[in-house]
Amino acid sequence: MIIVLKPEATESQIKHIVSKVKSLGLKPMISRGVERTIIGVIGEEDVLRVQPMEVFPGVEKVMPILAPYKLVSREFKPTDTVVTVDGVRIGGKRLVVMAGPCAVENYETLLSVARSTKKAGAAILRGGAFKPRTSPYSFQGLGEEGLKFLAEVKKRTGQPVITELMDLRDLELMERHADIIQIGARNMQNFDLLKEVGRSKKPVLLKRGMAATIKEWLLSAEYILQNGNFNVILCERGIRTFETETRFTLDMNAVPLIKSLSHLPIVVDPSHGTGRWGLVPSLAKAAVAAGADGLIIEVHPKPEEALSDGPQSMLPEKFARLMVDLKRVAKAVGREL
Ligand code: PEP
Ligand code: MN
């Protein structure tokens, strides 16, 4: 349920309402917009029948949130959420491109990709240290050493880094070395993991599960917000369909849909969404045109030798050319890059 305040509501009236909500055993979440303040109320809302909030000075109306997810909904917070990472704003007018290898393989390759993608305009470096591989015989990632390489490279280039967390036991390590914690498609409904990153102070990028509906995805995001972490970025990365020509089917519908249903920023991953580097530029441009707040793209200097996801990794020079095109698409839709 949300309590919509009058534009002229005073600070002391807001304080009074907040303390009343708390005294009823409910959790208030204040969202200050340009025009008015909204207080989202979480908990057993039945008590509000005994104590209607409409009577309090400063309250304009009280409305139920009809969607199953509450905190992530646009109703709860009408203004766009901007997640800030080391001064990089995700969800604002400027698009944010995250780029790097699928997996951290060694220090030199990571540094060279970081340098070239940064030069091309990527704001954030991606790279997995813990890899969720389909086969147990495939490269599983460098683990802690990979995280250290990411942190080292960050010191050299200044780019914030994003990397995937798969196991609750690695959270502390992640918090030490990463700037954004990625929850991968395969863990989108790992609810214990979601609750735990919800308690973390680090921004979280939540990828859509490959067989998850939009509703399930937003409910997973709700777990993170409900535990106190509002710095969540959603990532559309393709879903399973009957089509086998591409690795997944990138669901571009998700971009405008998420924008209408939620205040959270959404980025698109055309690398996993297609599984083919040759298709990445078109889908990247389409994502920007559709209103995405950014992209996450796999780049590798020698895709044929990559330890994971080579077929979908772009060469640095191809990535640089794509960035030039993306700037023009961004401009055409009123964004910057
Ligand atoms: C990745 O980003 O390398 C990855 C494993 O992504 P996803 O979880 O979307 O498959
Ligand atoms: Mn990958």
Side-chain angles (χ1 to χ4, degrees):
M1 137 145 6
I2 50 176
I3 302 171
V4 181
L5 302 183
K6 291 179 176 154
E8 67 273 15
T10 65
E11 274 311 308
S12 71
Q13 286 171 341
I14 295 174
K15 250 176 135 175
H16 186 218
I17 297 161
V18 164
S19 68
K20 189 70 209 173
V21 168
K22 283 185 184 160
S23 74
L24 292 168
L26 301 169
K27 195 173 167 191
M29 300 247 183
I30 305 179
S31 167
R32 292 176 196 274
V34 183
E35 296 221 332
R36 59 177 83 232
T37 296
I38 287 173
I39 303 173
V41 179
I42 302 299
E44 252 334 304
E45 293 170 1
D46 278 0
V47 290
L48 290 179
R49 254 188 246 138
V50 191
Q51 173 63 81
M53 298 305 290
E54 283 91 342
V55 299
F56 286 86
V59 174
E60 184 167 289
K61 58 183 171 186
V62 178
M63 296 180 347
I65 298 177
L66 299 175
Y69 37 82
K70 311 292 174 191
L71 302 172
V72 306
S73 73
R74 243 313 153 203
E75 294 155 279
F76 181 80
K77 182 173 179 282
T79 55
D80 287 345
T81 286
V82 176
V83 176
T84 305
V85 185
D86 277 1
V88 178
R89 301 176 81 247
I90 305 156
K93 188 173 180 189
R94 183 170 282 274
L95 300 171
V96 173
V97 177
M98 312 176 191
C102 176
V104 177
E105 298 175 1
N106 57 65
Y107 179 74
E108 289 70 31
T109 308
L110 190 65
L111 182 62
S112 105
V113 175
R115 282 189 168 140
S116 55
T117 53
K118 184 185 176 182
K119 192 159 167 249
I124 292 171
L125 175 66
R126 67 146 287 148
F130 299 95
K131 294 304 302 175
R133 303 306 300 277
T134 302
S135 164
Y137 303 112
S138 302
F139 175 60
Q140 302 286 308
L142 296 179
E144 185 170 356
E145 193 186 20
L147 292 181
K148 286 183 178 154
F149 289 160
L150 283 165
E152 281 294 309
V153 168
K154 184 191 172 184
K155 272 191 217 148
R156 301 281 289 272
T157 67
Q159 277 175 305
V161 296
I162 175 168
T163 192
E164 179 167 353
L165 172 70
M166 294 205 296
D167 190 319
L168 275 179
R169 290 167 295 186
D170 298 320
L171 180 56
E172 232 181 270
L173 206 56
M174 282 279 157
E175 288 179 320
R176 218 173 312 137
H177 297 297
D179 299 296
I180 305 176
I181 297 173
Q182 176 174 327
I183 300 294
R186 291 155 190 83
N187 273 314
M188 190 207 82
Q189 285 189 315
N190 183 336
F191 301 115
D192 286 337
L193 199 55
L194 298 177
K195 284 181 202 163
E196 214 51 54
V197 295
R199 290 182 201 114
S200 171
K201 299 267 178 293
K202 291 277 175 185
V204 176
L205 180 131
L206 178 66
K207 287 195 150 196
R208 180 181 182 178
M210 62 186 82
T213 63
I214 301 265
K215 195 187 282 174
E216 287 162 344
W217 185 17
L218 288 173
L219 280 166
S220 286
E222 184 83 6
Y223 268 95
I224 307 174
L225 272 72
Q226 202 240 352
N227 279 281
N229 191 348
F230 272 62
N231 288 316
V232 173
I233 305 149
L234 298 167
C235 176
E236 165 59 43
R237 48 78 71 209
I239 50 174
R240 273 268 157 86
T241 65
F242 52 80
E243 184 54 72
T244 53
E245 286 293 319
T246 48
R247 188 175 177 194
F248 295 98
T249 297
L250 196 59
D251 180 13
M252 211 57 89
N253 301 358
V255 177
L257 249 173
I258 288 290
K259 282 280 163 206
S260 69
L261 298 173
S262 175
H263 53 85
L264 296 174
I266 175 165
V267 303
V268 169
D269 175 348
S271 307
H272 293 86
T274 60
R276 298 189 190 196
W277 64 264
L279 299 179
V280 170
S282 301
L283 275 302
K285 286 180 270 189
V288 171
D293 297 300
L295 296 158
I296 179 162
I297 297 177
E298 289 185 342
V299 178
H300 197 286
K302 286 189 184 143
E304 68 283 3
E305 289 174 20
L307 297 178
S308 94
D309 287 351
Q312 67 194 36
S313 298
M314 295 186 84
L315 285 165
E317 50 275 24
K318 289 212 164 65
F319 173 77
R321 251 174 276 147
L322 168 61
M323 288 295 280
V324 174
D325 288 348
L326 285 173
K327 282 190 178 75
R328 288 162 48 212
V329 180
K331 197 166 170 224
V333 293
R335 306 289 289 262
E336 289 164 7
L337 178 61

